[in-house]
């Protein structure tokens, strides 16, 4: 069984329902026993020490522990649970996993520090609400550093080779004492690669990478919102000297829309209606983002500010099923341009008013009278 599959609880020798204090004391015992200072030169102890430290790092933190209980080690590997899409905010634990677990087990016993990965890249993309609704396949052009063709990413002039670093003896890391502990740092001479290039490649100045404009196809899924990140795995910068590439993150920004406001999967809009429609009832047609027209029934006697909900007429659920709702806020518009005839009819209407037509106004003025009398 690969060491990375060992259960954190098993590593610490505690049960899954142990409390924080039990876990802490189990960790302390093991860490003391296997501490590199007490076992100089013993790789097995060192690996165990790193592994129990990694396990404790996760289990001591209730949030990380919950993530681990749910997803296992996958919670802390690249991309987080679910993989494939971005959004899992376990970045810092991922780093812990990489540095402690990765170096404890990832090297396959070779001893050399793992070559660094290329940097992750960020690309900000503005899209319309319509695109967020339907999803969109598009192409972007970005400058990405790629492996240099001349030296095939080695960084050394073709025909020459990198030699082992003198300072770290090719280990890529150096040890230094810090208080009680001996800590490892990437070697300052070879920057952790374990190799030094005597004759750097001219095209990439020994970096092994060159910047190239690259066109990339991007699929925006329906339902994205501002803040959604889309991860294109391995599309970031090439790693130094042939190391794996980083990832490219597309940060989505949805532009404001002229008609609809959006809150999650809910779309909201304010619809002016005539005062006759408000009084008598009727319907209004609202063009939706799906290209269809939703017909909304207006009940007789509706007031300004009243919100009507149209179920399933909102935004699609990102990577899910169904759609949110649409909220239509009614705004009753008082007529400002009346013909002579209309005016006459309204004056007739006023003669017929008893005050019972508008109970809220009547109630208000009654209350006012009482208050002023008092
Ligand atoms: Zn080169
Ligand atoms: Zn070195």
């Amino acid at each position: 069984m690969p060491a990375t599959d060992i259960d954190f609880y098993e590593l610490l020798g505690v049960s899954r329902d142990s409390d924080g204090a039990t876990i802490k004391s189990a960790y302390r015992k093991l860490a003391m026993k296997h501490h590199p200072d007490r076992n100089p030169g013993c790789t097995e102890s060192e690996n165990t020490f790193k592994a129990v430290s990694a396990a404790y790092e996760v289990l001591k933190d209730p949030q990380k522990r919950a993530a681990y209980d749910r997803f296992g080690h996958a919670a802390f590997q690249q991309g987080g649970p679910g993989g494939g899409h971005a959004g899992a905010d376990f970045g810092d634990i991922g780093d812990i996993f990489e540095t402690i677990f990765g170096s404890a087990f990832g090297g396959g016993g070779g001893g050399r520090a793992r070559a660094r990965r290329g940097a992750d890249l960020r690309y900000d993309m503005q899209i319309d609400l319509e695109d967020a609704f339907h999803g969109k396949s598009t192409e972007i052009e970005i400058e990405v550093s790629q492996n240099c063709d001349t030296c095939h990413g080695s960084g050394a002039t073709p025909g020459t080779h990198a030699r082992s670093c003198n300072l770290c003896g090719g280990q890529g890391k150096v040890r230094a004492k810090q208080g009680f502990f001996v800590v490892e740092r990437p070697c300052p001479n070879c920057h952790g690669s374990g190799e030094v290039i005597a004759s750097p490649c001219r095209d990439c100045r020994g970096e092994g990478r060159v910047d190239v404009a690259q066109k990339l196809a991007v699929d925006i899924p329906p339902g994205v919102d501002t803040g959604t990140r889309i991860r294109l795995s391995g599309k970031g910068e090439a790693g130094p000297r042939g190391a794996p590439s980083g990832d490219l993150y597309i940060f989505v920004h949805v532009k404001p829309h002229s008609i609809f406001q959006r809150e999650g999967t809910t779309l909201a809009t304010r619809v002016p209606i005539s005062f006759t429609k408000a009084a008598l009832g009727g319907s209004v047609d609202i063009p939706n983002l799906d290209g269809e027209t939703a017909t909304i029934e207006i009940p007789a006697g509706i007031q300004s500010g009243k919100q009507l909900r149209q179920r399933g007429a909102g935004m699609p659920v990102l990577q899910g099923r169904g759609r949110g709702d649409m909220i239509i806020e009614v705004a009753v518009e008082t007529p400002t341009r009346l013909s002579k005839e209309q005016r006459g009819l309204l004056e007739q209407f006023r003669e017929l008013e008893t005050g019972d037509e508008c109970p809220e106004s009547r109630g208000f003025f009654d209350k006012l009278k009482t208050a002023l009398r008092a």
Side-chain angles (χ1 to χ4, degrees), residues 148 151 201 204:
C148 169
C151 61
C201 166
C204 62

Side-chain angles (χ1 to χ4, degrees), residues 164-177:
S164 191
C165 170
N166 288 333
L167 187 67
C168 62
Q171 296 292 300
K173 53 197 177 185
V174 287
R175 292 178 144 225
K177 211 164 153 78

Side-chain angles (χ1 to χ4, degrees), residues 147-158 200-210:
N147 278 331
C148 169
D149 280 341
T150 313
C151 61
H152 303 288
S154 74
T157 303
C201 166
R202 272 195 308 177
D203 289 347
C204 62
R205 292 193 201 89
E207 272 296 299
R209 300 174 285 180
V210 282

Side-chain angles (χ1 to χ4, degrees), residues 43-54:
T43 325
E44 204 178 313
S45 278
E46 189 184 328
N47 284 348
T48 310
F49 177 73
K50 284 175 180 170
V52 297
S53 305

Side-chain angles (χ1 to χ4, degrees), residues 165-213:
C165 170
N166 288 333
L167 187 67
C168 62
Q171 296 292 300
K173 53 197 177 185
V174 287
R175 292 178 144 225
K177 211 164 153 78
Q178 199 172 75
F180 289 112
F181 299 102
V182 174
V183 291
E184 271 179 2
R185 290 213 190 80
C187 169
N189 189 38
C190 61
H191 306 289
S193 71
E195 293 178 334
V196 175
I197 293 166
S199 167
C201 166
R202 272 195 308 177
D203 289 347
C204 62
R205 292 193 201 89
E207 272 296 299
R209 300 174 285 180
V210 282
D211 285 345
V212 182

